[in-house]
Amino acid sequence: MTSEVIIDVQPKNISIALLEDKQLVEYQNEPTSVSFSVGNIYMAKVKKLMPGLNACFVDVGYDKVAFLHYLDLGTQFSSYEKYLKQVQSDRKKLYPIQKASRLPDLKKDGSVQNTLKVGQEVLVQIVKEPISTKGPRLTCELSFAGRYMVLIPFGDKVSVSSKIKKSEERTRLKQLVQSMVPKNFGVIVRTVAEGKRAAELDQELKILLKRWEDTITMVQKNTERPLLAFEEQSRTVAMLRDLFNPTYDGIYVNDNSIFDQIRDYVGLIAPEKTDIVKLYTGAVPIFDNYGVTKQLKSGFGKTVNYKHGAYLIIEHTEAMHVVDVNSGTRIKKENGQEANALETNLGAADELARQLRLRDMGGIIVVDFIDMNLAEDRQMLYERMCKNMQKDRARHNILPLSKFGLMQITRQRVRPAMDVNVEEDCPTCFGTGKIKSSILFTDQLESKIDRLVNKIGIRKFYLHVHPYVAAYINQGMISMKLRWQMKYGLGVHIIPSQKLAFLQYEFYDDKRQFIDMKEEIESK
């Protein structure tokens, strides 16, 4: 299996696509202005106590207050609280955590009103991003995730991932890490640490300890609240940290600064794979070049087709996701309805497992498969779904088919489900229902080019249009593009873009910055 990561960096957002055998299986899109993400650590104040919920609301600077439950304070909350007071008592010299005394664990049956008070400062970490009407979810049990391990300040033990099955390797890793970890720190050894040398583990441990030191130094030296004490690595690097596999064939990015970040990170964790990170400089949009745009258009939306005419209908409600499996125009097999239902359901299981990862659907998912009479067929479908979900990094649980033919799945949700709008607004009428004659579209484009070159003074630019329109402009020995270049200069470039609607267009300058050429009458 070949795996590739495609990263599209735009002025307003960053999109990341993971391809397995050229098929899109994961997609992330994040506005560059968003500063809230899982892993960020804040020094913030308690805004309101909620004794009935045994929880409190904390102001971390978001428009909705964040939620912190009593049980998320962690067993070592008292030790944290005392240490933070010691740190803040001296703004010049940092009190080392190794000298901090450990206090008794927080009682699990305690109450928030006896532990916290309004206005109290707490060091918290985001564990779930804002979803719908809810603010971020917080914890006081801080952790710093690396590729091979997770560092836990005030932790008291070294744990090894249960996915490492060999007892000799588990013992080796545990003893090795125990000999490295300073006092008052705990560590969780991740699955990818299996077989790694002591030098590699020690190097990452030093990096994680430095992050902790930088975080607590930020708290010591700054009095503003809320304070962003630690910011998780950029989404691109954070995703690669969890996803990166030595078998990757390529990581392609179209931005110099992000390219440098990724190359440095890969060089740190896998120096021999640095060459797979490549800067994309082509004129065609990077997602178009690697076939991502078309898969996005076909992979999202309410109806998803998979094979032989069958399709899924995916509905999203506040409480759950509901999926209906339909055979559609599929031709029945010679050996009957049961075989046809089984094959359709197995194909649906394959596509649904991909959709869960692609859309990052979380919470409760209920799937209505086509009814099957044979118990062995229902068991085969359940086993197929379990096998497909083994690639999914999110925690999940799958129940066998109920007597109503429904499969229930729960999947970890830490951020809103990914939703890509595949419907396109009319680019010429903007919803008015009236458009100029389409045969005059190229005349309209030429008037824009004339205005751009002769009035605004931009002589080198890129005109993005639908691929069909680009083909029309480029056709013939003396094409329309050639005539425009003879009239307005060789700085005129025509770029086919699959993301645009049929009569939609976009202008970009030589630095790939968007130029708004829509007139007021067009945008009404």
Side-chain angles (χ1 to χ4, degrees), residues 34-289:
V34 172
S35 58
F36 289 88
S37 71
V38 173
N40 284 3
I41 297 176
Y42 293 84
M43 192 68 180
K45 290 184 178 181
V46 176
K47 191 169 184 178
K48 186 178 180 180
L49 297 179
M50 302 291 290
L53 298 174
N54 202 16
C56 67
F57 289 119
V58 179
D59 179 16
V60 294
Y62 189 62
D63 55 353
K64 293 187 181 296
V65 287
F67 182 81
L68 176 64
H69 194 272
Y70 173 81
L71 293 177
D72 291 324
L73 292 175
T75 57
Q76 297 300 322
F77 179 74
S78 301
S79 301
Y80 262 117
E81 188 179 20
K82 181 180 179 181
Y83 177 64
L84 287 174
K85 290 179 180 178
Q86 292 172 322
V87 166
Q88 293 176 296
S89 64
D90 187 350
R91 299 287 181 186
K92 294 182 179 179
K93 186 177 179 181
L94 183 64
Y95 188 80
I97 189 174
Q98 287 84 353
K99 293 183 179 180
S101 57
R102 298 176 69 99
L103 299 181
D105 290 355
L106 201 68
K107 295 180 180 179
K108 291 186 178 181
D109 57 351
S111 61
V112 70
Q113 65 265 36
N114 295 330
T115 309
L116 298 174
K117 58 184 179 181
V118 176
Q120 181 175 341
E121 294 185 352
V122 287
L123 193 61
V124 293
Q125 187 170 32
I126 294 180
V127 293
K128 183 182 287 188
E129 288 186 3
I131 296 175
S132 187
T133 59
K134 302 173 184 176
R137 180 76 182 258
L138 305 176
T139 182
C140 287
E141 293 186 285
L142 307 186
S143 61
F144 295 83
R147 175 151 174 78
Y148 302 129
M149 63 184 74
V150 179
L151 181 71
I152 304 173
F154 284 108
D156 57 357
K157 62 181 179 179
V158 173
S159 305
V160 180
S161 168
S162 59
K163 291 182 180 179
I164 299 178
K165 302 299 183 183
K166 297 179 181 177
S167 58
E168 301 85 4
E169 179 64 8
R170 293 175 60 85
T171 303
R172 181 188 77 89
L173 287 171
K174 190 168 186 176
Q175 292 177 347
L176 193 59
V177 174
Q178 280 177 335
S179 66
M180 300 174 181
V181 179
K183 183 182 176 184
N184 284 339
F185 284 101
V187 166
I188 299 173
V189 181
R190 305 182 75 174
T191 308
V192 290
E194 186 173 7
K196 298 301 177 183
R197 294 177 290 109
E200 295 176 275
L201 299 177
D202 184 56
Q203 182 185 23
E204 181 166 273
L205 181 60
K206 288 177 180 177
I207 293 172
L208 298 179
L209 289 169
K210 180 67 166 56
R211 288 181 190 168
W212 158 256
E213 187 177 329
D214 291 343
T215 301
I216 208 64
T217 302
M218 181 74 75
V219 172
Q220 177 202 21
K221 296 185 179 298
N222 292 273
T223 56
E224 62 177 286
R225 301 292 182 264
L227 170 71
L228 177 57
F230 170 76
E231 187 170 13
E232 181 59 281
Q233 295 164 298
S234 67
R235 175 60 60 86
T236 49
V237 174
M239 184 178 176
L240 280 176
R241 180 191 65 207
D242 297 330
L243 284 180
F244 185 80
N245 191 310
T247 62
Y248 273 1
D249 296 278
I251 301 173
Y252 304 93
V253 59
N254 62 348
D255 181 82
N256 278 299
S257 61
I258 301 296
F259 167 76
D260 292 336
Q261 289 180 33
I262 296 173
R263 189 176 175 85
D264 290 345
Y265 181 72
V266 174
L268 181 67
I269 62 173
E272 72 283 358
K273 303 294 289 186
T274 307
D275 291 341
I276 70 171
V277 184
K278 297 171 184 174
L279 180 65
Y280 177 77
T281 57
V284 175
I286 186 170
F287 272 11
D288 288 8
N289 187 69

